[in-house]
């Protein structure tokens, strides 16, 4: 008996350990996902800020050539093959140094993470990449395009859902109105049939009443006297 109880206790312990392992794995997954989402939002915000500041710098450079563009112009980026493929498509990318990031006002960012700017296209590259929906994006413009498509798809789904709900509601209103009209039509018909039945009964009663009044009494039947209340004997026919 003692061995059996020990075996049951061991099974319970193993079962509890498995449950705890599943719970811990779930918590780790949720925390990791939240951290990734927050990281994407923060990086996206930083890139948008860099884009806005570099646009101002570029506009000043157009007006006044003495206003220098920040960053070092590059034609290749050996630290990342994907980024190098983007850079090689045109020669208008500038790599921002730590000093450039500080001048822009975001010195907390690290130069080694790789921030590249294309002033003419108003685009920014983050060399470490941004992971979103299991896809890595390097250019801010690509990330913005994907997010816009996702938002558009979300809005279309919402619009379709609202349209379906509205169509369903209209159909239900039509069915309700149809039922109400059907009831309103049936009630006058029933009333009319009842009136016709009453009139028919009255006509039958009126038609049968004169026959009863003019019916001749049978032989030997006594008829009441008009005023005296005496009964008169109907004379018997002679044979």
């Amino acid at each position: 008996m003692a061995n059996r109880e020990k075996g049951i206790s061991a099974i319970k312990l193993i079962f509890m350990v498995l449950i705890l392992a599943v719970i811990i794995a779930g918590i780790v997954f949720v925390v990791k996902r939240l951290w990734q989402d927050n990281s994407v939002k923060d990086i996206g915000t930083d890139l948008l800020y860099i884009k806005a500041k570099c646009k101002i710098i570029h506009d000043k450079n157009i007006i006044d050539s003495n206003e220098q563009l920040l960053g070092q112009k590059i034609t290749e980026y050996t630290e990342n093959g994907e980024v190098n493929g983007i850079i090689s498509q045109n020669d208008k990318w500038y790599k921002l140094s730590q000093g450039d990031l500080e001048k822009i006002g975001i010195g907390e960012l690290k130069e080694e993470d790789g921030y590249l700017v294309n002033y003419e296209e108003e685009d920014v590259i983050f060399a470490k990449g941004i992971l979103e929906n299991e896809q890595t994006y390097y250019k801010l413009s690509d990330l913005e395009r994907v997010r816009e498509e996702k938002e558009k798809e979300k809005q279309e789904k919402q619009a379709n859902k609202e349209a379906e709900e509205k169509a369903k509601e209209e159909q239900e209103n039509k069915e309700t109105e149809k039922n109400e009209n059907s009831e309103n039509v049936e009630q006058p018909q029933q009333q009319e049939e009842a009136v016709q039945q009453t009139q028919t009964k009255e006509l039958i009663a009126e038609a049968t009443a004169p026959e009863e009044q003019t019916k001749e009494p049978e032989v030997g039947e006594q008829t009441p006297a008009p005023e005296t209340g005496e009964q008169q004997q109907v004379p018997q026919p002679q044979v």
Side-chain angles (χ1 to χ4, degrees):
M1 181 66 69
N3 292 332
R4 183 178 179 183
E5 291 179 353
K6 290 181 179 179
I8 294 174
S9 300
I11 293 173
K12 289 183 178 179
L13 180 60
I14 294 172
F15 186 70
M16 292 177 63
V17 171
L18 290 174
I19 293 176
L20 289 173
V22 172
I23 294 173
I24 293 172
I27 293 173
V28 171
F29 175 79
V30 172
V31 171
K32 184 178 179 181
R33 189 62 180 268
L34 291 174
W35 180 82
Q36 288 179 346
D37 292 342
N38 291 332
S39 297
V40 169
K41 291 179 181 178
D42 293 340
I43 295 172
T45 302
D46 291 337
L47 297 182
L48 287 172
Y49 181 82
I50 294 174
K51 175 183 176 180
K53 295 293 289 186
C54 288
K55 184 179 185 306
I56 295 174
I57 295 172
H58 183 235
D59 291 341
K60 289 182 178 180
N61 176 262
I62 294 175
I63 297 172
D64 185 0
S65 58
N66 292 325
E67 290 286 342
Q68 298 295 320
L69 299 176
L70 295 180
Q72 178 184 0
K73 193 172 183 178
I74 60 176
T75 57
E76 61 179 1
Y77 191 83
T78 58
E79 292 87 340
N80 186 308
E82 294 288 339
V83 174
N84 187 57
I86 299 173
I87 298 298
S88 62
Q89 294 177 5
N90 65 52
D91 58 350
K92 299 177 181 179
W93 288 93
Y94 292 76
K95 181 180 179 181
L96 300 179
S97 64
Q98 191 65 43
D100 295 329
L101 295 174
E102 292 176 358
K103 289 179 181 179
I104 293 175
I106 46 176
E108 67 275 9
L109 300 182
K110 302 301 180 182
E111 174 186 358
E112 55 268 21
D113 290 339
Y115 294 91
L116 314 176
V117 179
N118 189 320
Y119 289 97
E120 293 188 9
E121 295 182 0
E122 297 183 4
D123 205 354
V124 181
I125 287 178
F126 180 55
K128 290 185 67 174
I130 300 174
L131 182 62
E132 184 167 317
N133 297 326
E134 300 181 356
Q135 182 69 32
T136 302
Y137 300 94
Y138 298 97
K139 292 175 65 176
L140 176 61
S141 58
D142 292 339
L143 181 63
E144 289 178 325
R145 175 179 51 80
V146 171
R147 288 181 176 179
E148 288 176 0
E149 292 175 354
K150 186 177 179 181
E151 182 64 23
K152 184 179 179 181
E153 183 180 355
K154 181 180 178 181
Q155 292 176 355
E156 288 178 352
K157 288 183 178 180
Q158 183 65 24
N160 292 335
K161 182 179 179 181
E162 292 177 355
E164 290 176 358
E165 291 177 351
K166 185 177 180 181
K168 183 178 179 181
E169 183 179 356
E170 291 178 352
Q171 183 65 26
E172 291 176 353
N173 293 336
K174 287 181 180 179
E175 292 293 334
T176 303
E177 184 178 354
K178 182 179 179 180
N179 294 334
E180 291 177 352
N181 292 336
S182 177
E183 292 176 358
N184 294 334
V185 170
E186 290 177 356
Q187 289 179 357
Q189 288 179 350
Q190 293 174 354
Q191 294 175 357
E192 184 177 354
E193 291 175 357
V195 171
Q196 289 178 354
Q197 291 178 359
T198 302
Q199 291 176 351
T200 302
K201 290 180 180 180
E202 291 177 352
L203 291 174
I204 294 174
E206 291 176 357
T208 56
E211 294 180 359
E212 295 178 354
Q213 294 177 359
T214 57
K215 183 178 180 182
E216 295 182 356
E218 296 180 357
V219 178
E221 183 179 358
Q222 295 181 352
T223 57
E227 294 180 356
T228 61
E230 297 179 355
Q231 294 181 349
Q232 296 181 354
Q233 185 70 28
V234 178
Q236 298 286 341
Q238 298 180 357
V239 179

